[in-house]
Amino acid sequence: MTTYAVLSEGLRKRFGDVRALDGFDLAVPEGTVCGLLGPNGAGKTTAVRLLTTLVTPDAGTARVAGHDVVREAAAVRRAIGVTGQATAVDMDLSGRENLRLFGRLRRLPPAAARERAEALLERFDLTGAADRSARAYSGGMRRRLDLAASMLTRPPVLFLDEPTTGLDPASREEIWRAVRELADAGTTVLLTTQYLEEADRLADDIVLVDRGRATVRGTPAELKARIGAHAEVVVADDGALPGAAVVLHALTGARPALDPVRRVVGAAVTDPALTLPYLVRELDAAGVPVVDAALRQPTLDEVFLRLTAPTPADTGAEEART
């Protein structure tokens, strides 16, 4: 039987006239990384605030590490670590002083706080900068210090709310490596992010959040399979574009997209039986001069855009409200 580190049912939360959560359901098995994705205002941060006891729900229930977030809020707080969007470190203190301070705030005995601080400084490659002011740290170093602070009491559940926002690619890679190591060691991680590559790299499961609800769930591979592969053909001259479009439409049933500047014709592929050799043979049989052809898996960005795109009914409802 699956044991869930995070489990919520029917969570609702309003702020004035805004329905931030509207029946939010979530189930995160122990020892996994779950990525929450969604457009701005979808409800991701509100969900994290509810699950970390920063706000209380208007309706619904949630349990984190086996504790009810309303009735057992103190127990939930003892069981979790949180790294928010903004850094929580004191810029005037050194890295070592910050970790010892957080340890004391978490009621660790002084000796235990010192021991954990040293272990985490080494774990997050901050030992060489341990006595420097956090103000002198790079953005990536501060985020690693944030992560270290959230792990002082070895929490079984870690919440990361957009942990790499604003970081350069090298710093982002450092954070990703640290998070993956934590997850491999058994920590359950709930990650909200705007970076689709981040979710693709880290998450065991991804939940798409839209309009305050968890709308779609699956592994990155499962979500990509939902919209199928993508066929792209580069033709030798502009005059071959229509012919390539006809072939792609016949093979895929999808309406091809043409890029005359790059001489590319593309279409979504839903038939898993379509192979690249067959595509090339059909183009050749139709007399279409081809420079290149490819069948590729969709990116998570394409999945996100396709699965969160408003439907005509959604658009009509929104126009009616305005």
Side-chain angles (χ1 to χ4, degrees):
M1 182 179 295
T2 302
T3 302
Y4 294 103
V6 179
L7 183 64
S8 72
E9 296 180 351
L11 286 181
R12 298 180 185 275
K13 185 65 180 179
R14 295 183 71 101
F15 296 100
D17 295 330
V18 177
R19 284 185 296 182
L21 291 181
D22 189 20
F24 181 78
D25 299 328
L26 182 67
V28 184
E30 285 185 349
T32 64
V33 179
C34 177
L36 292 186
L37 304 183
N40 289 331
K44 305 184 301 296
T45 295
T46 299
V48 169
R49 293 181 69 198
L50 284 172
L51 294 170
T52 56
T53 76
L54 294 177
V55 295
T56 57
D58 298 330
T61 61
R63 299 183 70 83
V64 176
H67 304 291
D68 186 277
V69 298
V70 176
R71 297 194 305 271
E72 303 171 280
V76 170
R77 288 192 286 270
R78 287 193 296 268
I80 65 174
V82 182
T83 297
Q85 295 180 25
T87 182
V89 302
D90 188 321
M91 295 299 180
D92 294 324
L93 298 180
S94 68
R96 178 174 281 114
E97 289 168 336
N98 264 289
L99 291 186
R100 290 182 179 179
L101 173 62
F102 277 104
R104 298 296 288 128
L105 291 174
R106 296 301 296 265
R107 298 184 179 179
L108 290 178
R114 289 194 297 270
E115 181 181 345
R116 284 294 290 158
E118 296 308 313
L120 289 165
L121 287 167
E122 182 176 356
R123 171 84 175 269
F124 287 93
D125 195 24
L126 292 170
T127 302
D131 293 316
R132 286 163 45 193
S133 164
R135 194 180 304 280
Y137 282 16
S138 68
M141 292 169 69
R142 289 175 190 164
R143 295 309 276 167
R144 295 208 306 277
L145 187 60
D146 263 333
L147 273 177
S150 68
M151 292 299 298
L152 275 162
T153 55
R154 297 184 178 90
V157 183
L158 179 62
F159 290 86
L160 302 178
D161 193 9
E162 301 191 17
T164 62
T165 297
L167 297 186
D168 59 74
S171 297
R172 193 171 297 137
E173 283 281 353
E174 291 177 356
I175 297 299
W176 291 351
R177 185 163 52 250
V179 172
R180 192 67 260 174
E181 289 175 359
L182 293 172
D184 290 344
T187 298
T188 302
V189 179
L190 185 64
L191 167 75
T192 72
T193 180
Q194 295 286 356
Y195 298 110
L196 282 299
E197 183 187 1
E198 184 164 273
D200 208 356
R201 288 273 296 274
L202 294 177
D204 300 302
D205 278 312
I206 290 173
V207 175
L208 295 184
V209 183
D210 200 16
R211 301 173 182 86
R213 293 174 175 264
T215 57
V216 179
R217 176 173 186 154
T219 67
E222 288 169 345
L223 295 185
K224 291 173 184 178
R226 287 184 63 144
I227 69 171
H230 192 81
E232 283 190 351
V233 176
V234 183
V235 297
D237 55 70
D238 295 347
L241 286 169
V246 170
V247 172
L248 280 183
H249 179 67
L251 294 178
T252 68
R255 184 170 141 186
L258 277 66
D259 183 348
V261 175
R262 296 168 52 228
R263 293 176 179 166
V264 173
V265 182
V269 178
T270 56
D271 183 2
L274 179 62
T275 64
L276 184 59
Y278 184 65
L279 170 61
V280 172
R281 285 198 300 270
E282 291 299 299
L283 289 164
D284 185 59
V288 178
V290 174
V291 174
D292 191 19
L295 285 176
R296 63 172 179 80
Q297 290 298 311
T299 65
L300 207 54
D301 297 67
E302 291 168 328
V303 173
F304 176 82
L305 291 172
R306 182 81 65 84
L307 296 181
T308 61
T311 65
D314 293 332
T315 304
E318 183 63 30
E319 290 174 351
R321 283 195 294 269
T322 57

